[in-house]
Amino acid sequence: MRPSDLTYFKQKGKPIAVLTAWDSLSAALAEAAGADVLLIGDSLAMVALGHATTLPVSLDQMLHHTQAVARGLTTLPANQPLLVCDLPFLSYQCGEDLAVAAAGRLLKESSAAAVKLEGAEPEVVAVIDRLVRMGIPVMGHLGLTPQAVHRLGYRRQATDAISQERLIEQACALEQKGCFSLVLEHVPSELACRVQQALTIPVIGIGAGDGCDGQVRVTADLLGLTAKQPPFSPALVDGRRLFIDALKGWVNQTRNHTPPTKGENTQTD
Ligand code: KIV
């Protein structure tokens, strides 16, 4: 799968399924489930590293996890999902040169074929322009942008007319600068439909209704593994309960087992 294939999906009306992955195990599960794209999202800071926000994860850590994700894939390269890696906080906000170096490193040292970054402030748009011109495919991300949690919180974004018009303008600017797709997080579904219609690149929603060209979910949320799922991304299965019960069963079985006394041969395998 290549970034340009996603535009073809949109043209054909074929919905795009994007799942996050953070290690070889989660990558193998998401690949086996048939995801078109695996996003090594900076949500791994919270899902896999125990941080309270996405801000602390470093470029080195994102690279380390992206390499692990790539090792978890089992299909032939031509059939593998597209790997998109998030540019972490402060890897693209401190100037275009640093952003090119960070994104280039992810593509050079892992199998990621594209990066995702958040926002559409003029500085970010300039970075996207530069990355795209340097041959680095970019997925945009608007609406709830978790790297701006200290400014925006985790609430639904673009709920009034002025901010909705601004978001549509920003989405168009990202497309115009060459983003190959756009994640739209936690915005009203009518707005997501308007963005979907305004853009020729695919709009991938999370908490943005059913009118997008595809959906993205944090795999750990879907599997019910995180302690608390966001309201717009409910769990499909109570994974924590399921796994804890299975492990408890094993722990109890182990505790209830009477070890053989000296000289007694209990080997059964
Ligand atoms: O980091 C992440 O997992 C993301 C998705 C929620 C889109 O950005």
Side-chain angles (χ1 to χ4, degrees), residues 20 39-44 54 86 116 118 141 146 183 185 206 216-218:
T20 66
L39 172 66
I40 300 89
D42 58 2
S43 58
L44 73 81
T54 61
D86 262 343
K116 175 166 82 59
E118 299 179 5
H141 184 156
V183 166
E185 181 166 355
I206 173 166
V216 53
R217 293 292 182 274
V218 174

Coordinates of all heavy atoms in Angstrom, one line a residue, residues 20 39-44 54 86 116 118 141 146 183 185 206 216-218, ligand 1:
T20 N -4.1 1.8 14.9 CA -2.8 2.2 15.4 C -2.0 0.9 15.8 O -2.7 -0.2 16.1 CB -2.8 3.1 16.7 OG1 -3.5 2.4 17.7 CG2 -3.6 4.4 16.4
L39 N -1.0 3.1 11.8 CA -0.5 4.4 12.2 C 0.3 4.1 13.5 O -0.3 3.6 14.5 CB -1.7 5.3 12.5 CG -1.3 6.6 13.2 CD1 -0.4 7.5 12.3 CD2 -2.5 7.4 13.7
I40 N 1.6 4.4 13.5 CA 2.3 4.4 14.7 C 2.1 5.8 15.3 O 2.9 6.7 15.1 CB 3.8 4.1 14.5 CG1 4.0 2.7 13.8 CG2 4.6 4.0 15.8 CD1 3.9 2.7 12.3
G41 N 1.0 5.9 16.1 CA 0.6 7.2 16.6 C 1.3 7.5 17.8 O 1.8 6.6 18.6
D42 N 1.4 8.8 18.1 CA 2.1 9.2 19.3 C 1.3 8.9 20.6 O 1.7 9.0 21.7 CB 2.6 10.6 19.3 CG 1.5 11.6 19.1 OD1 0.3 11.2 19.0 OD2 1.8 12.9 19.0
S43 N 0.0 8.4 20.3 CA -0.8 7.9 21.4 C -0.1 6.7 22.1 O -0.4 6.3 23.2 CB -2.2 7.4 20.9 OG -2.0 6.4 19.9
L44 N 1.0 6.2 21.5 CA 1.7 5.1 22.1 C 2.4 5.6 23.4 O 2.7 4.8 24.3 CB 2.7 4.5 21.2 CG 4.0 5.2 20.8 CD1 5.1 5.1 21.8 CD2 4.5 4.7 19.4
T54 N 0.4 12.7 25.2 CA 1.3 12.3 24.1 C 2.6 13.1 24.0 O 3.5 12.7 23.3 CB 0.6 12.4 22.7 OG1 0.3 13.8 22.5 CG2 -0.7 11.6 22.6
D86 N 3.7 9.0 13.4 CA 3.5 10.4 14.0 C 4.8 11.1 14.2 O 5.8 10.5 14.8 CB 2.7 10.4 15.3 CG 1.3 10.6 15.1 OD1 0.8 11.1 14.1 OD2 0.5 10.3 16.1
K116 N 2.8 11.7 10.0 CA 1.6 12.5 10.3 C 2.0 13.6 11.3 O 2.8 13.4 12.2 CB 0.5 11.7 10.9 CG -0.7 12.5 11.4 CD -1.9 11.6 11.7 CE -1.9 10.9 13.0 NZ -1.9 11.9 14.2
E118 N 0.3 17.4 13.4 CA -0.9 18.0 13.8 C -0.9 19.5 13.5 O 0.1 20.2 13.7 CB -1.1 17.8 15.3 CG -1.2 16.3 15.7 CD -1.4 16.1 17.2 OE1 -1.5 17.1 17.9 OE2 -1.4 15.0 17.6
H141 N -3.6 16.4 10.3 CA -4.4 16.0 11.5 C -5.0 17.3 12.1 O -4.3 18.2 12.6 CB -3.5 15.3 12.5 CG -4.3 14.8 13.7 ND1 -3.8 13.7 14.5 CD2 -5.5 15.1 14.3 CE1 -4.6 13.5 15.5 NE2 -5.7 14.3 15.4
P146 N -4.1 16.2 20.0 CA -3.7 15.9 21.4 C -2.4 16.6 21.8 O -2.1 16.8 23.0 CB -3.5 14.4 21.4 CG -4.5 13.9 20.4 CD -4.4 14.9 19.3
V183 N -6.4 13.4 8.9 CA -7.2 12.8 10.0 C -8.0 14.0 10.6 O -7.5 15.1 10.8 CB -6.3 12.2 11.1 CG1 -7.0 12.0 12.4 CG2 -5.6 10.9 10.6
E185 N -10.3 14.7 13.9 CA -10.6 14.0 15.2 C -11.6 14.9 16.0 O -11.4 16.1 16.2 CB -9.3 13.8 16.0 CG -9.5 13.2 17.4 CD -8.2 12.7 18.0 OE1 -7.1 12.8 17.4 OE2 -8.3 12.2 19.2
I206 N -12.1 10.1 13.3 CA -12.2 9.5 14.6 C -13.0 10.4 15.4 O -12.7 11.6 15.6 CB -10.8 9.2 15.2 CG1 -11.0 8.6 16.6 CG2 -9.8 10.3 15.2 CD1 -9.7 8.0 17.2
V216 N -10.2 5.9 11.7 CA -8.9 5.5 12.4 C -9.3 5.3 13.8 O -10.1 6.0 14.4 CB -7.8 6.5 12.3 CG1 -8.2 7.9 12.6 CG2 -6.6 6.1 13.1
R217 N -8.8 4.2 14.4 CA -9.0 4.0 15.9 C -7.7 3.6 16.5 O -6.8 2.9 15.9 CB -10.0 2.9 16.1 CG -11.4 3.2 15.7 CD -12.1 4.2 16.5 NE -13.5 4.5 16.1 CZ -13.9 5.3 15.1 NH1 -13.0 6.0 14.4 NH2 -15.1 5.4 14.8
V218 N -7.6 3.9 17.8 CA -6.5 3.5 18.6 C -6.8 2.0 19.0 O -7.8 1.7 19.6 CB -6.3 4.3 19.9 CG1 -5.2 3.7 20.8 CG2 -5.9 5.8 19.5
Ligands
KIV1 O1 -1.7 9.1 18.0 C1 -2.7 8.6 17.5 O2 -3.1 7.4 17.8 C2 -3.6 9.4 16.6 C3 -4.9 8.8 16.3 C4 -5.9 9.1 17.4 C5 -5.4 9.4 15.0 O3 -3.2 10.4 16.2

